[in-house]
Short mmCIF file of all heavy atoms in Angstrom, two decimals:
data_model
loop_
_atom_site.label_atom_id
_atom_site.label_comp_id
_atom_site.label_asym_id
_atom_site.label_seq_id
_atom_site.Cartn_x
_atom_site.Cartn_y
_atom_site.Cartn_z
N LEU A 212 -30.95 -37.36 -12.63
CA LEU A 212 -31.47 -36.13 -13.22
C LEU A 212 -32.34 -36.43 -14.44
O LEU A 212 -33.39 -35.82 -14.64
CB LEU A 212 -30.31 -35.22 -13.61
CG LEU A 212 -30.62 -33.73 -13.79
CD1 LEU A 212 -31.21 -33.16 -12.50
CD2 LEU A 212 -29.37 -32.97 -14.19
N VAL A 213 -31.90 -37.39 -15.26
CA VAL A 213 -32.68 -37.78 -16.42
C VAL A 213 -34.03 -38.37 -15.99
O VAL A 213 -35.08 -38.05 -16.57
CB VAL A 213 -31.91 -38.81 -17.28
CG1 VAL A 213 -32.82 -39.44 -18.33
CG2 VAL A 213 -30.73 -38.14 -17.97
N ILE A 214 -34.02 -39.20 -14.95
CA ILE A 214 -35.25 -39.80 -14.45
C ILE A 214 -36.20 -38.73 -13.89
O ILE A 214 -37.41 -38.75 -14.13
CB ILE A 214 -34.94 -40.86 -13.37
CG1 ILE A 214 -34.21 -42.05 -14.00
CG2 ILE A 214 -36.23 -41.32 -12.69
CD1 ILE A 214 -33.70 -43.06 -13.00
N CYS A 215 -35.63 -37.76 -13.16
CA CYS A 215 -36.46 -36.74 -12.48
C CYS A 215 -36.90 -35.62 -13.42
O CYS A 215 -37.77 -34.82 -13.05
CB CYS A 215 -35.70 -36.15 -11.30
SG CYS A 215 -35.40 -37.32 -9.97
N THR A 216 -36.30 -35.53 -14.59
CA THR A 216 -36.68 -34.47 -15.52
C THR A 216 -37.30 -35.05 -16.78
O THR A 216 -38.53 -35.04 -16.93
CB THR A 216 -35.47 -33.58 -15.87
OG1 THR A 216 -34.39 -34.39 -16.37
CG2 THR A 216 -34.99 -32.82 -14.64
N LEU A 217 -36.49 -35.56 -17.68
CA LEU A 217 -37.00 -36.02 -18.98
C LEU A 217 -38.03 -37.14 -18.81
O LEU A 217 -39.10 -37.09 -19.42
CB LEU A 217 -35.84 -36.49 -19.87
CG LEU A 217 -34.77 -35.45 -20.21
CD1 LEU A 217 -33.75 -36.04 -21.16
CD2 LEU A 217 -35.39 -34.20 -20.82
N PHE A 218 -37.71 -38.14 -18.01
CA PHE A 218 -38.64 -39.28 -17.85
C PHE A 218 -39.91 -38.85 -17.13
O PHE A 218 -41.02 -39.16 -17.58
CB PHE A 218 -37.95 -40.42 -17.10
CG PHE A 218 -38.85 -41.60 -16.86
CD1 PHE A 218 -39.19 -42.45 -17.91
CD2 PHE A 218 -39.38 -41.85 -15.61
CE1 PHE A 218 -40.04 -43.53 -17.70
CE2 PHE A 218 -40.22 -42.93 -15.38
CZ PHE A 218 -40.55 -43.78 -16.42
N LEU A 219 -39.76 -38.11 -16.03
CA LEU A 219 -40.92 -37.66 -15.27
C LEU A 219 -41.79 -36.73 -16.11
O LEU A 219 -43.03 -36.82 -16.09
CB LEU A 219 -40.49 -36.97 -13.98
CG LEU A 219 -41.60 -36.45 -13.06
CD1 LEU A 219 -42.49 -37.60 -12.61
CD2 LEU A 219 -41.02 -35.71 -11.86
N ASP A 220 -41.15 -35.83 -16.86
CA ASP A 220 -41.90 -34.92 -17.73
C ASP A 220 -42.72 -35.69 -18.75
O ASP A 220 -43.89 -35.37 -18.99
CB ASP A 220 -40.95 -33.96 -18.45
CG ASP A 220 -40.37 -32.91 -17.52
OD1 ASP A 220 -40.81 -32.83 -16.37
OD2 ASP A 220 -39.44 -32.19 -17.97
N SER A 221 -42.10 -36.70 -19.35
CA SER A 221 -42.82 -37.48 -20.38
C SER A 221 -44.01 -38.22 -19.77
O SER A 221 -45.07 -38.32 -20.40
CB SER A 221 -41.86 -38.49 -21.05
OG SER A 221 -41.38 -39.45 -20.11
N VAL A 222 -43.85 -38.73 -18.56
CA VAL A 222 -44.96 -39.42 -17.88
C VAL A 222 -46.09 -38.44 -17.58
O VAL A 222 -47.28 -38.75 -17.82
CB VAL A 222 -44.46 -40.09 -16.58
CG1 VAL A 222 -45.65 -40.61 -15.76
CG2 VAL A 222 -43.50 -41.24 -16.89
N LEU A 223 -45.75 -37.25 -17.09
CA LEU A 223 -46.77 -36.25 -16.78
C LEU A 223 -47.47 -35.75 -18.04
O LEU A 223 -48.69 -35.51 -18.03
CB LEU A 223 -46.14 -35.08 -16.02
CG LEU A 223 -45.64 -35.40 -14.60
CD1 LEU A 223 -44.92 -34.20 -14.00
CD2 LEU A 223 -46.78 -35.85 -13.70
N ILE A 224 -46.72 -35.62 -19.13
CA ILE A 224 -47.33 -35.23 -20.41
C ILE A 224 -48.31 -36.30 -20.87
O ILE A 224 -49.43 -36.01 -21.33
CB ILE A 224 -46.25 -34.98 -21.48
CG1 ILE A 224 -45.47 -33.70 -21.15
CG2 ILE A 224 -46.87 -34.85 -22.87
CD1 ILE A 224 -44.24 -33.49 -22.02
N LEU A 225 -47.92 -37.57 -20.73
CA LEU A 225 -48.79 -38.68 -21.11
C LEU A 225 -50.06 -38.68 -20.26
O LEU A 225 -51.18 -38.84 -20.78
CB LEU A 225 -48.04 -40.01 -20.95
CG LEU A 225 -48.83 -41.27 -21.28
CD1 LEU A 225 -49.29 -41.26 -22.74
CD2 LEU A 225 -48.00 -42.52 -20.99
N ILE A 226 -49.92 -38.47 -18.95
CA ILE A 226 -51.08 -38.43 -18.07
C ILE A 226 -52.01 -37.28 -18.45
O ILE A 226 -53.24 -37.43 -18.48
CB ILE A 226 -50.63 -38.29 -16.60
CG1 ILE A 226 -49.94 -39.58 -16.12
CG2 ILE A 226 -51.82 -37.97 -15.68
CD1 ILE A 226 -49.31 -39.48 -14.75
N SER A 227 -51.43 -36.12 -18.78
CA SER A 227 -52.26 -34.97 -19.15
C SER A 227 -53.07 -35.27 -20.40
O SER A 227 -54.25 -34.89 -20.50
CB SER A 227 -51.39 -33.74 -19.37
OG SER A 227 -50.61 -33.85 -20.54
N TYR A 228 -52.48 -36.01 -21.35
CA TYR A 228 -53.21 -36.31 -22.57
C TYR A 228 -54.27 -37.39 -22.35
O TYR A 228 -55.31 -37.40 -23.02
CB TYR A 228 -52.25 -36.71 -23.70
CG TYR A 228 -51.84 -35.51 -24.50
CD1 TYR A 228 -50.62 -34.87 -24.27
CD2 TYR A 228 -52.67 -34.96 -25.47
CE1 TYR A 228 -50.24 -33.75 -24.98
CE2 TYR A 228 -52.30 -33.84 -26.19
CZ TYR A 228 -51.09 -33.25 -25.93
OH TYR A 228 -50.75 -32.12 -26.64
N ILE A 229 -54.02 -38.29 -21.42
CA ILE A 229 -55.06 -39.26 -21.06
C ILE A 229 -56.27 -38.53 -20.47
O ILE A 229 -57.43 -38.82 -20.81
CB ILE A 229 -54.50 -40.30 -20.06
CG1 ILE A 229 -53.46 -41.20 -20.75
CG2 ILE A 229 -55.62 -41.15 -19.48
CD1 ILE A 229 -52.74 -42.13 -19.80
N LEU A 230 -56.00 -37.57 -19.59
CA LEU A 230 -57.09 -36.78 -18.99
C LEU A 230 -57.78 -35.91 -20.05
O LEU A 230 -59.01 -35.74 -20.00
CB LEU A 230 -56.54 -35.91 -17.87
CG LEU A 230 -55.98 -36.66 -16.65
CD1 LEU A 230 -55.34 -35.70 -15.66
CD2 LEU A 230 -57.08 -37.48 -15.97
N ILE A 231 -57.03 -35.38 -20.98
CA ILE A 231 -57.63 -34.58 -22.06
C ILE A 231 -58.54 -35.44 -22.91
O ILE A 231 -59.68 -35.05 -23.23
CB ILE A 231 -56.52 -33.93 -22.92
CG1 ILE A 231 -55.85 -32.78 -22.16
CG2 ILE A 231 -57.09 -33.42 -24.24
CD1 ILE A 231 -54.62 -32.22 -22.85
N LEU A 232 -58.07 -36.64 -23.29
CA LEU A 232 -58.91 -37.55 -24.09
C LEU A 232 -60.17 -37.93 -23.33
O LEU A 232 -61.26 -38.00 -23.93
CB LEU A 232 -58.10 -38.81 -24.46
CG LEU A 232 -57.10 -38.66 -25.60
CD1 LEU A 232 -56.28 -39.93 -25.75
CD2 LEU A 232 -57.83 -38.35 -26.92
N HIS A 233 -60.03 -38.19 -22.04
CA HIS A 233 -61.20 -38.54 -21.23
C HIS A 233 -62.21 -37.41 -21.23
O HIS A 233 -63.44 -37.63 -21.35
CB HIS A 233 -60.76 -38.86 -19.80
CG HIS A 233 -61.88 -39.28 -18.90
ND1 HIS A 233 -62.56 -38.37 -18.10
CD2 HIS A 233 -62.46 -40.50 -18.68
CE1 HIS A 233 -63.49 -39.02 -17.42
NE2 HIS A 233 -63.46 -40.30 -17.75
N SER A 234 -61.72 -36.18 -21.12
CA SER A 234 -62.61 -35.02 -21.12
C SER A 234 -63.24 -34.80 -22.49
O SER A 234 -64.43 -34.48 -22.59
CB SER A 234 -61.83 -33.78 -20.69
OG SER A 234 -62.63 -32.63 -20.70
N VAL A 235 -62.45 -34.97 -23.56
CA VAL A 235 -62.95 -34.75 -24.92
C VAL A 235 -64.02 -35.77 -25.28
O VAL A 235 -65.03 -35.44 -25.92
CB VAL A 235 -61.79 -34.77 -25.93
CG1 VAL A 235 -62.31 -34.82 -27.37
CG2 VAL A 235 -60.90 -33.54 -25.75
N LEU A 236 -63.78 -37.02 -24.91
CA LEU A 236 -64.75 -38.08 -25.24
C LEU A 236 -66.08 -37.88 -24.53
O LEU A 236 -67.09 -38.46 -24.95
CB LEU A 236 -64.16 -39.45 -24.89
CG LEU A 236 -62.98 -39.90 -25.76
CD1 LEU A 236 -62.41 -41.21 -25.25
CD2 LEU A 236 -63.41 -40.03 -27.23
N ALA A 237 -66.08 -37.08 -23.48
CA ALA A 237 -67.33 -36.81 -22.75
C ALA A 237 -68.16 -35.73 -23.44
O ALA A 237 -69.31 -35.51 -23.07
CB ALA A 237 -67.02 -36.40 -21.33
N ILE A 238 -67.57 -35.06 -24.43
CA ILE A 238 -68.31 -34.02 -25.17
C ILE A 238 -69.26 -34.69 -26.13
O ILE A 238 -68.89 -35.60 -26.89
CB ILE A 238 -67.32 -33.10 -25.94
CG1 ILE A 238 -66.37 -32.40 -24.96
CG2 ILE A 238 -68.08 -32.07 -26.75
CD1 ILE A 238 -65.29 -31.59 -25.63
N ALA A 239 -70.48 -34.25 -26.15
CA ALA A 239 -71.52 -34.89 -26.97
C ALA A 239 -71.30 -34.61 -28.45
O ALA A 239 -71.44 -35.50 -29.29
CB ALA A 239 -72.90 -34.40 -26.53
N SER A 240 -70.98 -33.38 -28.80
CA SER A 240 -70.85 -32.99 -30.22
C SER A 240 -69.53 -33.47 -30.80
O SER A 240 -68.45 -33.19 -30.24
CB SER A 240 -70.97 -31.47 -30.34
OG SER A 240 -70.61 -31.06 -31.65
N GLN A 241 -69.61 -34.20 -31.92
CA GLN A 241 -68.39 -34.66 -32.57
C GLN A 241 -67.57 -33.49 -33.12
O GLN A 241 -66.34 -33.52 -33.10
CB GLN A 241 -68.74 -35.62 -33.73
CG GLN A 241 -67.51 -36.24 -34.38
CD GLN A 241 -67.89 -37.29 -35.41
OE1 GLN A 241 -69.06 -37.57 -35.62
NE2 GLN A 241 -66.89 -37.86 -36.05
N GLU A 242 -68.26 -32.46 -33.56
CA GLU A 242 -67.56 -31.28 -34.08
C GLU A 242 -66.73 -30.60 -32.98
O GLU A 242 -65.60 -30.18 -33.21
CB GLU A 242 -68.56 -30.29 -34.67
CG GLU A 242 -67.93 -29.05 -35.30
CD GLU A 242 -68.97 -28.11 -35.88
OE1 GLU A 242 -70.14 -28.52 -36.05
OE2 GLU A 242 -68.59 -26.95 -36.18
N GLU A 243 -67.32 -30.52 -31.80
CA GLU A 243 -66.61 -29.92 -30.68
C GLU A 243 -65.44 -30.80 -30.24
O GLU A 243 -64.40 -30.28 -29.81
CB GLU A 243 -67.58 -29.71 -29.49
CG GLU A 243 -68.57 -28.58 -29.71
CD GLU A 243 -67.87 -27.24 -29.87
OE1 GLU A 243 -66.90 -26.97 -29.12
OE2 GLU A 243 -68.27 -26.45 -30.74
#
C-alpha cells in the first residue's frame, strides 16, 4: 500500500515537475 500510494504519488509528482520545468524553460520571456 505504501509503494502504491505514497511512493507512486511522489514519483508522479516528481515527473509532473520535470514536465513543468521543461515547459517553463521553453518560454522565451524570463519574466514569464
Side-chain angles (χ1 to χ4, degrees):
L212 201 58
V213 168
I214 293 173
C215 293
T216 55
L217 300 183
F218 178 73
L219 181 60
D220 288 352
S221 64
V222 171
L223 292 175
I224 290 171
L225 179 61
I226 291 173
S227 71
Y228 269 99
I229 291 173
L230 295 175
I231 286 172
L232 282 174
H233 182 267
S234 179
V235 168
L236 291 175
I238 299 174
S240 169
Q241 185 174 358
E242 183 179 346
E243 287 298 319

